Amino acid sequence: MTILSDGRPAAITMWDFSWLERRWAGAGFEDWNRALGELAERGYDMVRIDAYPHLVSADGERTWTLKPQWNQQSWGAQSVIEVRVLPELLDFIRAAHEHGVRVALSTWFRQDLDDMRMRVKTPADIARIWIDTLTRIDAAGLLDDIAYVDLCNEFPLPPWAPFLYGVAVGPGLPISHPSIGAWMTESIGLVREAFPGLEYTYSFSNTYEDHAEIDVSAFDLLEPHIWMAGASDYYRHVGYDFELFDPVGYDNVVLRGRQVYLAEQQRFDAALFDTIDLVADWSRATRKPVVTTECWSIIDYKDWPGLDWGWVKELNERAVVHAAATGRWTAIATSNFCAPQFVGMWRDVDYHRRLTDVIRNSTVDPDLLPRS
């Protein structure tokens, strides 16, 4: 089953590793039925989550202790937390099915105390852990609920693919590097051989000017993550440098985030829309559909003193309309903040319904439609 199985683009959101880690009272995911019901109420029909394949493959029923990825962001847990992936992953997929929501699988390779993610050494290793995970899903009769598989979030950035480098920090290799293309092609090929009925990709976070050099020949779809703050020098002017455990970055966003954007709104918007158009051209050149689950305005934001959601939501809306009009997106997110823990974004039901109506009622180019 393809994303366009009903001929209409999907309204998708990203619940990353929050779906499993943020289950304490008030964290947003303590009641999956409620969260998924509210997602459907807002017009979404697809969600991308972390399936923790390296932990499923090692021992899905074990309770794993995870280290915090950060304490400044509202994704996942801000401190050490214990999780079990099975049967929870299967239970979540079943709950999503009940609400008419299909599940896209990805992984951020969360770090546990034994650092199991570093046991991935080869493309065959990453294929093996995904095959193990999909085998468990298939055995539960849930494979038809899987929209697509993203073998690694924002590949090959060191925080999410540290096994490539032995460390989780540093610039990493460019997406266009031949070894990265070979890794992606081999690993997707192995998983597809085991499960030929699914669609596969690796998601990216980049500026995409070198898209012609990126080997996506094995992909069924492109999943680029696109933001105004990533497409421009916005963060440099704000003084934000992705501080993970220090509030200074968010303090600077409070002081200057909105003001910097409004002072040069036309230039910043142009950088975002030009990137959307660039990705649309990439899609036309490769004849592959686009799915974007992390987007469109600022990359990092949260409910925080002095932070206003208004300008963020307004830019997101313009970007959704722009992307939908290209005819190249088969699944579109409204932002990477569309989740219960981002209360200022989540509670505006009318806003979400307006944007998901735009997404679901948009058309795609004929070359992307399923062949009968």
Side-chain angles (χ1 to χ4, degrees), residues 167-201:
V167 294
V169 296
L173 293 171
I175 305 170
S176 56
H177 194 281
S179 67
I180 296 303
W183 179 291
M184 296 188 297
T185 299
E186 180 180 346
S187 56
I188 288 177
L190 291 170
V191 184
R192 179 178 284 118
E193 184 177 348
F195 290 94
L198 294 176
E199 295 189 314
Y200 301 98
T201 192

Side-chain angles (χ1 to χ4, degrees), residues 171-226:
L173 293 171
I175 305 170
S176 56
H177 194 281
S179 67
I180 296 303
W183 179 291
M184 296 188 297
T185 299
E186 180 180 346
S187 56
I188 288 177
L190 291 170
V191 184
R192 179 178 284 118
E193 184 177 348
F195 290 94
L198 294 176
E199 295 189 314
Y200 301 98
T201 192
Y202 277 84
S203 60
F204 299 140
S205 177
N206 205 296
T207 52
Y208 311 115
E209 286 92 346
D210 60 347
H211 63 78
E213 301 174 21
I214 304 172
D215 183 2
V216 294
S217 57
F219 288 30
D220 295 294
L221 58 96
L222 308 174
E223 199 196 316
H225 300 161
I226 305 169

Side-chain angles (χ1 to χ4, degrees), residues 38-61:
E38 291 177 349
L39 186 69
E41 177 192 11
R42 286 155 176 75
Y44 297 89
D45 50 8
M46 196 170 291
V47 61
R48 172 173 169 255
I49 66 169
D50 194 332
Y52 302 83
H54 59 307
L55 303 184
V56 171
S57 181
D59 184 352
E61 286 80 7

Side-chain angles (χ1 to χ4, degrees), residues 37-324:
E38 291 177 349
L39 186 69
E41 177 192 11
R42 286 155 176 75
Y44 297 89
D45 50 8
M46 196 170 291
V47 61
R48 172 173 169 255
I49 66 169
D50 194 332
Y52 302 83
H54 59 307
L55 303 184
V56 171
S57 181
D59 184 352
E61 286 80 7
R62 171 181 164 181
T63 297
W64 296 90
T65 301
L66 305 183
K67 297 182 178 181
Q69 176 65 29
W70 42 53
N71 66 12
Q72 292 302 304
Q73 310 293 9
S74 295
W75 295 290
Q78 288 79 32
S79 187
V80 174
I81 192 168
E82 292 185 343
V83 300
R84 187 182 61 179
V85 188
L86 294 177
E88 282 74 2
L89 175 62
L90 306 178
D91 291 342
F92 181 88
I93 297 171
R94 290 188 187 99
H97 176 89
E98 292 301 313
H99 292 279
V101 176
R102 297 184 70 205
V103 179
L105 303 179
S106 181
T107 183
W108 284 249
F109 280 102
R110 292 283 285 115
Q111 184 183 20
D112 67 283
L113 294 183
D114 296 326
D115 217 0
M116 298 299 294
R117 61 187 185 164
M118 300 306 283
R119 299 190 184 186
V120 174
K121 304 291 185 183
T122 67
D125 287 337
I126 199 170
R128 171 182 50 78
I129 64 174
W130 273 112
I131 291 170
D132 289 346
T133 301
L134 293 171
T135 297
R136 297 298 297 268
I137 294 170
D138 189 26
L142 299 171
L143 207 60
D144 286 345
D145 291 290
I146 303 307
Y148 66 90
V149 179
D150 164 27
L151 274 68
C152 181
N153 175 67
E154 296 181 350
F155 197 71
L157 295 181
W160 315 125
F163 45 82
L164 292 176
Y165 314 101
V167 294
V169 296
L173 293 171
I175 305 170
S176 56
H177 194 281
S179 67
I180 296 303
W183 179 291
M184 296 188 297
T185 299
E186 180 180 346
S187 56
I188 288 177
L190 291 170
V191 184
R192 179 178 284 118
E193 184 177 348
F195 290 94
L198 294 176
E199 295 189 314
Y200 301 98
T201 192
Y202 277 84
S203 60
F204 299 140
S205 177
N206 205 296
T207 52
Y208 311 115
E209 286 92 346
D210 60 347
H211 63 78
E213 301 174 21
I214 304 172
D215 183 2
V216 294
S217 57
F219 288 30
D220 295 294
L221 58 96
L222 308 174
E223 199 196 316
H225 300 161
I226 305 169
W227 300 272
M228 172 278 295
S232 70
D233 58 357
Y234 167 81
Y235 270 153
R236 181 171 63 82
H237 288 284
V238 170
Y240 184 81
D241 195 29
F242 299 96
E243 292 84 357
L244 303 182
F245 295 94
D246 187 334
V248 64
Y250 271 105
D251 289 342
N252 287 337
V253 174
V254 170
L255 290 171
R256 293 184 285 274
R258 182 174 178 273
Q259 295 88 332
V260 165
Y261 171 72
L262 293 178
E264 296 189 80
Q265 179 175 342
Q266 185 174 0
R267 181 173 74 86
F268 289 131
D269 284 4
L272 171 61
F273 299 147
D274 286 349
T275 301
I276 293 172
D277 293 339
L278 182 68
V279 169
D281 288 340
W282 185 19
S283 169
R284 296 183 187 102
T286 58
R287 298 181 67 85
K288 297 183 188 296
V290 185
V291 171
T292 294
T293 65
E294 301 189 41
C295 49
W296 295 100
S297 51
I298 194 167
I299 300 171
D300 292 342
Y301 214 65
K302 60 182 175 179
D303 299 297
W304 196 248
L307 295 186
D308 168 46
W309 285 100
W311 71 274
V312 174
K313 290 161 59 180
E314 289 168 7
L315 179 51
N316 288 345
E317 184 164 2
R318 293 195 298 275
V320 165
V321 171
H322 192 97

